[in-house]
Amino acid sequence: MLKTIIKMMRPVNIVIAVITLVVGYFLLGELPGSVNGICITALVLQVFAFAFAIGFANIQNDILDLESDKLNRPERPLPSGKLSVTAAKRTWITLLAACVLCGVADSALLRFNATPAIFFILLAALLIAYNVKLKHIPLLKNMTVAFLCMTPLILTLFYPTDIREADYESLDFATKLGFLYPAMMFAFLLTTAREIYKDLEDELGDLKAGIMTFPLIAGVETARRFAGALIIFTWILLPLPVMQGYYPASFLVSTAFIFTPCFTYIIIQAHRKNYRKSQTVTKYAMLIGIIALVASMAIG
């Protein structure tokens, strides 16, 4: 049962979120051990909070999507009967409470600064709103998922690390945003494209289940071209943070070397209607891009 629950929590998505969180602090020079970095206990609490948040949201979503998953994903735990709906409900409620508690504990570490607690409460509320309402609104649901993928970076942007060292002059908000916005932008654009590819893959099942998605509203060709345009636009934007002086030239070299063949493959597979390959490669391209970013910043 535990193995099934962990699978429903989407461990790959959790790993990506944790890596994104750590990269955010790395870009700002606020990793544990740095002059005014986040303490290791706070980072651990945030890692668990995001894991619990992603876990509860996915399990709740699986419960709400049970009928459509019987058509699109019959191998998943709930449609296949590997886990009961009752057990799934108890699990997501427990994970939700654990997520909020981690945020409250993080706030206590900051001398009761409410930022982490408020952040994870709002994140939980948005995840529930998505599952219940937003995911039924074509395109907005895709963009909401993309925004959610940015939330680890948003936390690093607002997290008050300067509260511990009064004599240390931390980065101002504009400078922090300058270092973080390229990663946010790439995550948002690529995730939106990936979510559209997922809708294209699930088109038949969604239609039978009465779920209206962007491809069903705008048409398959329009949706595929729009997702492809987002991929191409992301590639065009690669030089921007380098031109602005936030990232070194090695960032452009490494990401262009990685993204050019990946993006070409994604668009080709989408044209061939291999949408599962397109969305899978898009997800891993995001992860590889994050690693390339860290490597380029580390070597300057």
Side-chain angles (χ1 to χ4, degrees):
M1 180 177 174
L2 179 60
K3 184 178 179 181
T4 299
I5 290 174
I6 291 174
K7 181 179 179 181
M8 292 178 70
M9 290 175 66
R10 313 296 198 275
V12 173
N13 292 350
I14 292 173
V15 169
I16 292 175
V18 170
I19 291 174
T20 304
L21 178 70
V22 173
V23 167
Y25 284 121
F26 169 79
L27 293 174
L28 300 178
E30 295 178 350
L31 282 175
S34 57
V35 176
N36 202 45
I38 182 174
C39 73
I40 187 65
T41 305
L43 182 60
V44 170
L45 284 171
Q46 292 174 19
V47 166
F48 276 105
F50 274 109
F52 295 145
I54 294 169
F56 98 72
N58 279 303
I59 293 174
Q60 184 194 43
N61 185 66
D62 283 355
I63 295 172
L64 296 173
D65 282 353
L66 180 57
E67 293 305 314
S68 62
D69 279 348
K70 288 179 180 178
L71 298 170
N72 292 327
R73 300 284 193 277
E75 75 283 357
R76 283 184 173 176
L78 294 181
S80 64
K82 294 178 182 177
L83 186 72
S84 69
V85 173
T86 300
K89 286 181 178 178
R90 290 173 181 170
T91 301
W92 83 256
I93 292 172
T94 302
L95 291 173
L96 169 60
C99 169
V100 174
L101 284 174
C102 284
V104 172
D106 194 2
S107 287
L109 290 176
L110 291 174
R111 303 168 190 169
F112 296 100
N113 181 294
T115 301
I118 293 173
F119 175 86
F120 284 108
I121 290 172
L122 291 176
L123 176 60
L126 179 58
L127 287 166
I128 293 172
Y130 170 81
N131 285 339
V132 174
K133 182 69 176 179
L134 298 179
K135 72 177 182 181
H136 300 296
I137 304 175
L139 193 57
L140 179 60
K141 80 160 194 168
N142 310 102
M143 298 175 70
T144 302
V145 173
F147 176 80
L148 288 167
C149 288
M150 294 165 46
T151 52
L153 295 173
I154 293 174
L155 177 59
T156 65
L157 178 62
F158 287 99
Y159 193 79
T161 54
D162 59 344
I163 200 170
R164 298 187 184 85
E165 298 288 343
D167 296 331
Y168 179 77
E169 185 177 352
S170 63
L171 297 175
D172 59 76
F173 182 82
T175 303
K176 283 187 173 184
L177 184 60
F179 281 111
L180 292 175
Y181 92 84
M184 291 179 177
M185 181 173 57
F186 296 148
F188 181 82
L189 292 172
L190 291 179
T191 303
T192 301
R194 178 172 64 86
E195 288 298 307
I196 292 174
Y197 287 137
K198 287 176 65 176
D199 283 347
L200 285 164
E201 179 187 357
D202 295 341
E203 180 190 11
L204 182 58
D206 289 338
L207 181 61
K208 289 182 178 179
I211 300 173
M212 299 310 296
T213 61
F214 180 57
L216 291 175
I217 295 294
V220 172
E221 288 295 322
T222 299
R224 183 169 67 239
R225 289 172 182 171
F226 182 63
L230 291 175
I231 297 290
I232 295 170
F233 186 55
T234 303
W235 185 82
I236 292 173
L237 290 176
L238 289 178
L240 186 59
V242 177
M243 294 170 61
Q244 292 178 315
Y246 289 111
Y247 294 177
S250 56
F251 165 78
L252 177 59
V253 175
S254 59
T255 52
F257 178 78
I258 293 169
F259 282 152
T260 301
C262 281
F263 289 175
T264 302
Y265 178 84
I266 290 166
I267 292 173
I268 290 174
Q269 292 303 316
H271 182 72
R272 294 175 177 173
K273 300 183 179 181
N274 294 326
Y275 301 122
R276 176 163 293 190
K277 288 184 179 180
S278 293
Q279 62 106 347
T280 300
V281 174
T282 302
K283 176 187 290 188
Y284 287 108
M286 292 168 56
L287 180 59
I288 295 171
I290 290 173
I291 295 172
L293 170 58
V294 172
S296 65
M297 293 294 284
I299 66 177

